[in-house]
Amino acid sequence: MASDTTSKQPEAQKGILGWIEKTGNALPDPVFIFFYLILALVVISVVLSLLGVSVQLNDQILAGLGEAGRARFGIGDDGVISVASLLSPANIQQLLTQMPSTFTHFHPLGYVLVVMLGAGVAERAGLFGTAMRAGVRNAPKFLLTPVVALIAMLGNHAADAGYVVLIPLAGVLYAAAGRHPVAGIAAAFAGVSGGFSANIAPGQLDALLFGITQAGVDLLNPNYLVNIAGNTYFIIGLLALYLPIIWYVTDRIIEPRLGKWTGGVAPGGEADQDDDPNAPLTDGQRKGLKWAGIATLGVIGVWVFLTIGPGTPLYNESADSVTAALAPLFTSLVAGFFILFLAAGTAYGVCAGTIKNHRDLVGMMSKAMGDMAYYLVLAYAAAHFVAMFGWSNLGLITAVTGAEAIEASGMPLPLVLASLVLLTGFINLFVGSASAKWALLAPVFVPMFMLLGVSPEATTAAYRVGDSATNIITPLMVYFPLILVFARRWIPGFGLGSLTAIMVPYSVLMLIIGFIMMLGWVYLGWPLGPGAGVEYVAPAVGG
């Protein structure tokens, strides 16, 4: 029986969250928001360019940028970077000649489309709904949130795949348990994005961030080697604190507001799903789950073989650390998820009777891409906004100006790092890429804070807190529109303001707790990871 997804709309928020929801829902469609932002960006760039707004870069920053960076930002021999008008001939030419590549090179695009091809088959074949029903039928429903939040934070080792795999799965999981799927989406989004830096072990993000940190360190002390595990204890602490926050906000604030879910276990009215999550499985469904499990183990086995087998294509034996050596494995996980879901979904569908021939398989993949149509339109607009913001030089100028203000403030050490948390959180509302922001900020903050006696590992830790907490409340974060798509599949017409209002309590509490944790950690002088302290001691002169 097809599911009824016309569940009642959430009750209107009251107070500040009500204002956010009402105001946000009154905004134009996100596609046009980006269009208006681009127009505003053009006007600002033209005005500031005519006013001659510029920033003098010091030698450390210039050295960090290198010749390629200086050429990219149009920095002359005098070390001055100026605002570039987006109506200049060069930028107009760049916009018109690079429009296809600006869109197709938009980082999340490939991740989303590749993974959703496989996940769409697994979902429409009925694998997700049946597996979740089988898994949660006798499980305590109150444990769903901490389990989802924990898996979401640990899933950050899979990088961007966590957004396109774990978050929609959480919606299915909650619906299968008779709970509101949007609450599950919110909990998973908070874990994957708000808890982006929380984990139990270093991973791909650590390799990325500390590689950039090392470049900043080299501007001041090339002999100092950054510890790749330098934030291990800190990120474990974040996970321990963020887990109860997500649990409390989801179960005590968000889900009661959303109300009881009565729409069944399949989004979008898909057939071949039983509305009752406790209904017994058919023989075909049981057989399908068995063969889906075998297919899953087979794909995992192939990936293990490619990592440790002859030739080790997914393990870089020449790398100087285990994390760096596993970089090919981490990068391959998007392809791995695609193949895993495609294999498992096909195996289930053939056994359960939801896939009768290859045309059914192709049709399911086509429908999955159909669901991404809105995201493609919005990604086109977002890609051009992000690119044009970089072309205007406003990103680098803003980062440098903010850094100079903090340097001149004379604040105590803990507050200096806390200021970086807040500055990063604010900038993150406009520029979502963790690596892009850190590539701009690290050459400024890392050497500057080293001169103030702060270790590069501590500066990186402060950046991570601010970078993740505000991810979940800005529509400019590249995956925010995708989360909106996932929510709308369960509640048609779910608005931008509704999603923002739901995520605000997570963001505020995670930012406050992360802020306090950063202050306490620095004040107590605890090590941030193996061999990585909070303080930095400059080498003795002539030593």
Side-chain angles (χ1 to χ4, degrees), residues 278-304:
N278 293 312
L281 303 182
T282 66
D283 291 339
Q285 289 173 331
R286 293 181 184 277
K287 183 179 179 181
L289 288 178
K290 173 184 175 181
W291 281 100
I294 293 174
T296 299
L297 292 176
V299 173
I300 293 174
V302 170
W303 249 249
V304 171

Side-chain angles (χ1 to χ4, degrees), residues 417-504:
L417 284 173
S419 297
L420 178 57
V421 172
L422 297 179
L423 177 64
T424 303
F426 175 74
I427 295 176
N428 192 49
L429 294 174
F430 308 99
V431 183
S433 171
S435 59
K437 286 193 305 295
W438 193 224
L440 292 175
L441 296 177
V444 179
F445 284 100
V446 171
M448 180 180 71
F449 283 3
M450 289 173 69
L451 292 172
L452 296 173
V454 180
S455 73
E457 290 84 1
T459 306
T460 306
Y463 170 79
R464 299 173 76 145
V465 173
D467 174 61
S468 60
T470 55
N471 276 337
I472 53 181
I473 60 171
T474 170
L476 301 183
M477 198 274 286
V478 291
Y479 283 107
F480 198 91
L482 182 66
I483 311 308
L484 187 61
V485 170
F486 291 148
R488 283 177 174 175
R489 297 188 66 193
W490 297 98
I491 302 180
F494 193 78
L496 179 67
S498 298
L499 180 57
T500 303
I502 280 178
M503 302 313 299
V504 163

Side-chain angles (χ1 to χ4, degrees), residues 172-200:
V172 177
L173 175 63
Y174 271 61
R179 298 181 59 177
H180 205 293
V182 174
I185 289 173
F189 187 26
V192 170
S193 194
F196 190 64
S197 286
N199 220 297
I200 60 173

Side-chain angles (χ1 to χ4, degrees), residues 81-131:
I81 179 173
S82 303
V83 175
S85 169
L86 289 173
L87 293 183
S88 68
N91 277 329
I92 292 176
Q93 181 189 71
Q94 192 168 213
L95 171 64
L96 297 179
T97 61
Q98 298 182 15
M99 190 170 288
S101 61
T102 299
F103 177 44
T104 57
H105 291 176
F106 192 45
H107 180 65
L109 198 59
Y111 284 84
V112 171
L113 298 182
V114 170
V115 173
M116 289 307 295
L117 275 173
V121 172
E123 178 183 331
R124 283 166 175 75
L127 172 60
F128 289 165
T130 302

